[in-house]
């Protein structure tokens, strides 16, 4: 089954005679829907209610599936539920106490008066906060809402589901408490001031979905002015996983990455960091294009070669990396035989990997698989474990190589749910981290 973009659960009343579930499945399949789970919730003498999860390519295809069911005599489509929206009801994260408070003794230990002694101890010996608070295991996930995925400047509150998602991944993959911080300002001075003011409560700062170019200034200033790790994930997390994917592609096709011509479309936060990482890794030629002349000038500053048109880039590069946020920007006829095509924009790529493969690409992937989720959890866990006060280029390179080493031959990246990847990234980052 190819990966579909839309998932819905249909609640269908089906006549209780043999063969009707088969008829329903056929109608759904002929309309293009893939059936996932089927749950029978009620069985009666004349009808049965089933909850059927369907995956479709598009809303239009999903409408066709619904019409096909409505046309089946005796069947009733009772309701449609959106699993994604449902999963978000009430939010995805929740701050929980690690200690039960059930008796007066517990209360006095956890809160007053007991807590006062711990406060005095930390006042006297501030480094004890690492032992007696959760600060060193807590990462602020900071956004101003200006570049939420490829959706643009939709504001920090609309971006909260993404921040909660990052917090959920931190928790589940590497046991870090991620706390979303939504900023009601896009002014670099104010962002830097605010993050510095809240920094005492955190072991590290992850900047997320802050648009370019102000993200560059914000990150540089925070790195210089804070004594804890700061990383803009859309820049460096993305560069790490992209380098890993390209290392794997070159290994499988026995091509030397350093001699390949890399072409980038979109030179914002993700694109520019990818260029910097590739150049530092020794790639000789990185070309790039962007609508903004300033973005192209920044590429040149980091050793890349600006190119005027998308067509020229597609015609002259072996490896294409697109981070524009523009779905469908790369047309199948632009793909050259044996190119590597990474169309990394979320939620929808510049070209569907299947289309790119059909058009002759040697390897193709989108932002669902080549995703910074493979990097940021282990990078932060490794940095916190090592008590590093910054995330260095060596730590990022080590993370990229660990991801590439965890990749099965023929794949571009490992599965994000494989805990061994995150473990390998943690170990690699920790090994080269610089202690405070
Ligand atoms: N797969 C992954 O792990 C990640 C994917 N991304 C995706 O990359 C995309 C960009 O994200 P950011 O770099 O943070 O945004 P950004 O706003 O900093 O950069 C986007 C850049 O693309 C350029 N651009 C827009 N339309 C273009 C076109 N038609 N031709 C050439 N350039 C064009 C813009 O001028 C801008 O410089 C988003 O869709 C995001 O979801 C970002 C981070 C991680
Ligand atoms: C994955 C991610 O960080 C993005 O698309 O912005
Ligand atoms: Mg992002």
């Amino acid at each position: 089954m190819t990966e579909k973009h839309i998932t819905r659960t249909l609640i269908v009343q089906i006549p209780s005679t043999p063969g009707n579930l088969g008829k329903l499945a056929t109608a759904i399949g002929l309309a293009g829907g893939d059936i996932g789970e089927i749950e029978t919730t009620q069985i009666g003498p004349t009808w049965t209610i089933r909850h059927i999860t369907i995956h479709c390519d598009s809303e239009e295809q999903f409408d066709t599936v619904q019409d096909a069911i409505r046309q089946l005599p005796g069947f009733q489509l009772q309701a449609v539920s959106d699993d994604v929206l449902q999963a978000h009801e009430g939010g995805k994260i929740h701050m929980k106490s690690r200690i039960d408070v059930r008796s007066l003794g517990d209360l006095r230990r956890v809160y007053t008066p007991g807590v006062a002694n711990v406060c005095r101890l930390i006042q006297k010996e501030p480094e004890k906060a690492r032992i007696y608070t959760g600060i060193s295991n807590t990462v602020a996930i900071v956004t101003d809402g200006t570049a939420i995925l490829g959706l643009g400047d939709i504001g920090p509150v609309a971006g909260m589901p993404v921040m909660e998602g990052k917090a959920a991944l931190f928790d589940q993959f590497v046991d870090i408490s991620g706390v979303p911080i939504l900023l009601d300002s896009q002014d670099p001075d104010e962002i830097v001031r605010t993050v510095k003011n809240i920094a005492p409560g955190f072991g590290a700062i992850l900047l997320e979905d802050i648009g370019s170019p102000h993200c560059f200034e914000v990150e540089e200033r925070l790195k210089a002015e804070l004594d804890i790790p700061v990383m803009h994930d859309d820049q460096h997390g993305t560069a790490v996983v992209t380098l890993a994917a390209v290392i794997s592609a070159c290994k499988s096709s026995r091509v030397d990455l350093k001699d390949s011509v890399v072409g980038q479309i979109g030179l914002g936060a993700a694109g520019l960091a990818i260029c910097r990482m590739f150049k530092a890794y020794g790639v000789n030629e990185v070309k790039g294009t962007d609508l903004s002349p300033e973005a192209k000038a920044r590429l040149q500053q980091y050793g890349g070669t600006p190119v005027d048109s998308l067509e020229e880039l597609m015609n002259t590069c072996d490896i294409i990396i697109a981070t524009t946020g523009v779905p469908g920007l790369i047309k199948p006829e632009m793909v050259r035989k044996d190119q590597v095509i990474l169309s990394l924009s979320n939620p929808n790529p510049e070209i569907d990997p299947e289309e790119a493969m059909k058009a002759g690409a040697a390897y193709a992937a989108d932002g669902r698989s080549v995703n910074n989720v493979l990097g940021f959890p282990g990078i932060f866990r490794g940095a916190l474990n090592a008590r590093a006060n910054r995330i260095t280029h060596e730590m990022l390179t080590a993370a990229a190589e660990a991801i590439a080493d965890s990749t099965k031959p023929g794949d571009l990246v490992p599965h994000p749910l494989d805990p061994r990847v995150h473990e390998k990234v943690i170990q690699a980052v920790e090994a080269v981290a610089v202690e405070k």
Side-chain angles (χ1 to χ4, degrees):
M1 185 178 93
T2 57
E3 209 167 337
K4 305 273 186 179
H5 299 279
I6 295 190
T7 300
R8 301 276 190 279
T9 298
L10 305 180
I11 302 171
V12 190
Q13 179 179 305
I14 304 172
S16 292
T17 43
N20 277 328
L21 182 58
K23 277 188 204 159
L24 179 66
T26 305
I28 294 169
L30 289 175
D34 275 325
I35 298 176
E37 285 152 30
I38 301 180
E39 189 191 354
T40 305
T41 57
Q42 282 181 46
I43 302 180
T46 49
W47 44 257
T48 302
I49 305 280
R50 288 198 165 95
H51 291 212
I52 303 176
T53 305
I54 313 274
H55 308 282
C56 287
D57 285 327
S58 61
E59 291 289 352
E60 292 70 34
Q61 192 179 58
F62 182 63
D63 288 344
T64 313
V65 169
Q66 292 185 75
D67 288 344
I69 296 173
R70 287 195 188 97
Q71 279 163 24
L72 290 171
F75 287 64
Q76 227 185 71
L77 177 55
Q78 291 194 329
V80 176
S81 78
D82 181 327
D83 292 1
V84 175
L85 275 183
Q86 243 174 30
H88 284 76
E89 271 173 25
K92 292 188 294 248
I93 52 171
H94 178 74
M95 181 78 91
K96 296 260 299 173
S97 168
R98 296 176 63 230
I99 291 192
D100 275 344
V101 184
R102 299 204 184 277
S103 66
L104 271 183
D106 290 342
L107 187 60
R108 285 169 189 153
R109 239 189 329 274
V110 169
Y111 194 49
T112 55
V115 74
N117 280 343
V118 190
C119 298
R120 283 197 207 95
L121 177 64
I122 295 173
Q123 185 192 15
K124 248 197 286 164
E125 298 175 56
E127 69 281 5
K128 289 273 173 16
R130 157 170 291 282
I131 303 172
Y132 297 116
T133 74
I135 291 174
S136 64
N137 196 44
T138 306
V139 174
I141 302 167
V142 179
T143 192
D144 65 355
T146 47
I148 300 295
L149 308 176
L151 306 175
D153 182 358
I154 62 170
V157 177
M160 181 61 161
V162 174
M163 307 309 132
E164 289 190 356
K166 295 258 167 181
L169 302 176
F170 259 148
D171 175 47
Q172 293 201 13
F173 295 166
V174 294
D175 199 24
I176 283 176
S177 299
V179 178
I181 305 286
L182 308 184
L183 300 178
D184 197 10
S185 170
Q186 306 181 356
D187 171 40
D189 289 336
E190 205 156 353
I191 295 176
V192 169
R193 193 165 42 245
T194 306
V195 175
K196 280 177 69 181
N197 281 335
I198 60 157
F202 297 97
I205 308 288
L206 179 147
L207 303 172
E208 184 63 38
D209 291 353
I210 297 182
S212 59
H214 67 295
C215 63
F216 303 124
E217 176 186 346
V218 165
E219 191 200 38
E220 281 312 317
R221 283 175 58 186
L222 286 172
K223 274 160 72 172
E225 294 174 35
L226 284 174
D227 196 27
I228 54 175
V230 175
M231 184 180 96
H232 183 198
D233 193 29
D234 298 285
Q235 293 187 56
H236 312 295
T238 314
V240 161
V241 69
T242 306
L243 178 59
V246 169
I247 290 173
S248 301
C250 288
K251 208 190 283 172
S252 293
S253 44
R254 297 202 173 80
V255 168
D256 188 349
L257 167 57
K258 294 182 180 163
D259 296 332
S260 301
V261 183
V262 173
Q264 292 193 240
I265 312 167
L267 305 169
L272 205 67
I274 292 168
C275 166
R276 292 172 67 183
M277 182 116 197
F278 277 49
K279 289 301 288 181
Y281 198 69
V283 177
N284 288 318
E285 196 161 8
V286 178
K287 298 183 181 182
T289 189
D290 196 291
L291 299 178
S292 143
E294 292 79 23
K296 289 200 275 189
R298 278 189 285 273
L299 176 87
Q300 200 157 20
Q301 195 187 319
Y302 290 113
T305 311
V307 163
D308 284 334
S309 76
L310 179 56
E311 288 71 18
E312 185 188 339
L313 192 99
M314 293 296 297
N315 272 330
T316 56
C317 297
D318 309 309
I319 297 167
I320 302 292
I321 300 164
T323 52
T324 61
V326 183
L329 183 65
I330 302 176
K331 307 294 171 217
E333 55 275 18
M334 295 176 178
V335 175
R336 277 196 311 132
K337 191 167 157 21
D338 292 336
Q339 263 175 339
V340 174
I341 308 273
L342 303 182
S343 44
L344 300 186
S345 287
N346 291 312
N348 300 117
E350 285 80 358
I351 182 168
D352 196 83
E354 269 182 62
E355 265 190 273
M357 291 300 284
K358 267 194 225 151
Y363 291 94
D366 61 18
R368 285 174 300 181
S369 58
V370 179
N371 190 296
N372 51 30
V373 63
L374 285 161
F376 79 83
I379 294 171
F380 275 87
R381 178 79 276 162
L384 293 178
N385 287 357
R387 302 187 184 192
N389 62 0
R390 58 190 188 277
I391 292 170
T392 60
H393 175 71
E394 289 69 30
M395 290 156 83
L396 298 175
T397 307
E401 287 173 343
I403 297 169
D405 282 349
S406 311
T407 304
K408 287 199 215 117
D411 286 352
L412 290 186
V413 283
H415 197 287
L417 296 182
D418 181 351
R420 288 170 299 185
V421 185
H422 302 293
E423 200 44 55
K424 263 201 156 177
V425 174
I426 295 169
Q427 284 169 10
V429 168
E430 213 178 321
V432 296
V434 183
E435 209 176 309
K436 264 188 209 180

